[in-house]
Amino acid sequence: MSLCSGERRILVVKRGLYALGIASMLAVAGCQSTNQTADMISIEKEQGSRENIDSLSSVIAANPNDPNAYNVRGSAYGRAGEFTKAVADFNRALQLNPNFYQAYANRALVYRNMGKPVEAANDYTAALKLNPNYDIAYIGRGNIYRQAGRVDEAFQDFNRAIELDTTDGRAYHNRGLIYQLRGQHDKAIDDFSKAISLSPSAPEPYNGRGVSYLALNDDENAFADFNHAIELNPKLAESWANQALVYERKGDKVKAAKSYQHAVNLDPKYQPARDGLNRTRGAS
């Protein structure tokens, strides 16, 4: 996947399902989503390396009026976390080619990393004006809308991407989160399953599907999904906290406490794990 790789990563959602007691937690499954998004650009040593950036700079020196070269280097700067330089390159690419809708979408992703959702949404909209069939822009803008609480608009954007036969699993994953928010867990499970088929190595849709299974009292399938999420990426606090919740529902507070503790060790600020640990600490 790419930034265009970073653009296509599955959304990670950390759900605040644990603070109100197990019954009420499931009643609000997905409603209290906070957001760490894998949509955000990750630091990739190879593509964001100084050597790669220097190589791309040499290409630009030889072709100073090539918008594609600036777009590619901007993506590399984004992966390296050099967001100001990335924006400058996308700006130059758009000066050279005002119809370069991919550069708008790439700049939008960088703006999201910079904590500028309004600018990001405007860029996604600009990309869609140039190419109304650009699924990536619908997904990116839908994410911004969803995080801003504009759920109906987000739902429309994800639907549009899906109508365009997107192969990006984020469209299904994010729409699944909205179905989950609305209590439509059967539909959510279908969408998470589709996201898994498109992105089988991503742990996030397994966590999402597991939460909806829990809401339907299907602890066995939920537990399998959470365990598989851990196998795919053992460093996600959410997965361990979700696993712990199943242990807690089964009455095994010892195992629950161990999993909650592991989640806290991975992310000391992850409140669902902290709350769960407080509930189960001291079990023997």
Side-chain angles (χ1 to χ4, degrees):
M1 300 184 187
S2 89
L3 163 60
C4 294
S5 157
E7 182 76 35
R8 291 181 176 271
R9 294 180 184 277
I10 294 293
L11 178 71
V12 178
V13 176
K14 296 183 176 181
R15 298 169 185 82
L17 301 178
Y18 303 81
L20 303 176
I22 293 174
S24 58
M25 285 187 288
L26 293 177
V28 295
C31 296
Q32 302 179 25
S33 301
T34 57
N35 199 312
Q36 295 287 334
T37 90
D39 219 31
M40 299 302 198
I41 301 169
S42 62
I43 306 301
E44 297 183 14
K45 292 182 179 179
E46 180 179 349
Q47 297 187 38
S49 69
R50 179 52 50 190
E51 291 80 3
N52 188 46
I53 290 171
D54 288 345
S55 176
L56 292 168
S57 296
S58 297
V59 172
I60 288 173
N63 303 275
N65 294 317
D66 181 1
N68 292 300
Y70 287 100
N71 184 55
V72 174
R73 190 177 68 176
S75 298
Y77 276 134
R79 291 191 179 96
E82 298 185 51
F83 300 137
T84 300
K85 291 181 178 179
V87 169
D89 270 359
F90 296 135
N91 288 347
R92 181 58 179 152
L94 289 165
Q95 287 173 352
L96 292 167
N97 179 5
N99 296 319
F100 200 167
Y101 61 89
Q102 297 96 330
Y104 273 114
N106 284 342
R107 190 173 68 179
L109 184 59
V110 171
Y111 278 142
R112 289 192 61 202
N113 279 265
M114 297 172 75
K116 296 182 176 182
V118 174
E119 290 85 345
N122 288 340
D123 268 1
Y124 283 129
T125 298
L128 289 168
K129 287 180 179 178
L130 293 168
N131 182 358
N133 296 321
Y134 192 34
D135 60 327
I136 296 301
Y138 283 111
I139 296 168
R141 190 176 67 178
N143 260 340
I144 294 172
Y145 286 156
R146 191 185 62 80
Q147 293 155 25
R150 297 165 62 178
V151 177
D152 291 340
E153 292 165 282
F155 192 79
Q156 290 174 5
D157 274 354
F158 299 140
N159 271 347
R160 181 59 182 144
I162 289 167
E163 288 169 358
L164 291 168
D165 295 324
T166 184
T167 58
D168 188 329
R170 290 179 311 134
Y172 290 94
H173 181 265
N174 294 338
R175 191 177 70 172
L177 292 174
I178 294 176
Y179 278 134
Q180 199 173 72
L181 178 70
R182 294 172 173 173
Q184 296 174 281
H185 292 288
D186 287 332
K187 290 183 177 180
I189 287 169
D190 287 344
D191 270 3
F192 291 132
S193 297
K194 181 64 175 179
I196 287 168
S197 72
L198 292 170
S199 303
S201 62
E204 295 81 19
Y206 285 100
N207 276 317
R209 190 173 68 177
V211 168
S212 281
Y213 277 137
L214 278 184
L216 297 177
N217 295 314
D218 186 347
D219 288 16
E220 183 176 350
N221 276 322
F223 194 60
D225 272 354
F226 298 147
N227 287 340
H228 194 61
I230 290 170
E231 291 172 4
L232 290 170
N233 183 354
K235 296 183 179 180
L236 285 183
E238 179 189 8
S239 305
W240 289 96
N242 286 340
Q243 181 197 66
L245 180 58
V246 179
Y247 282 133
E248 190 177 357
R249 282 164 61 94
K250 292 178 177 179
D252 192 337
K253 291 190 174 183
V254 174
K255 289 183 178 179
K258 288 181 180 179
S259 292
Y260 282 131
Q261 183 65 65
H262 195 82
V264 170
N265 291 343
L266 288 170
D267 184 355
K269 295 182 179 180
Y270 189 44
Q271 196 61 43
R274 293 165 60 90
D275 292 341
L277 186 59
N278 287 336
R279 290 195 304 273
T280 57
R281 195 195 306 270
S284 59

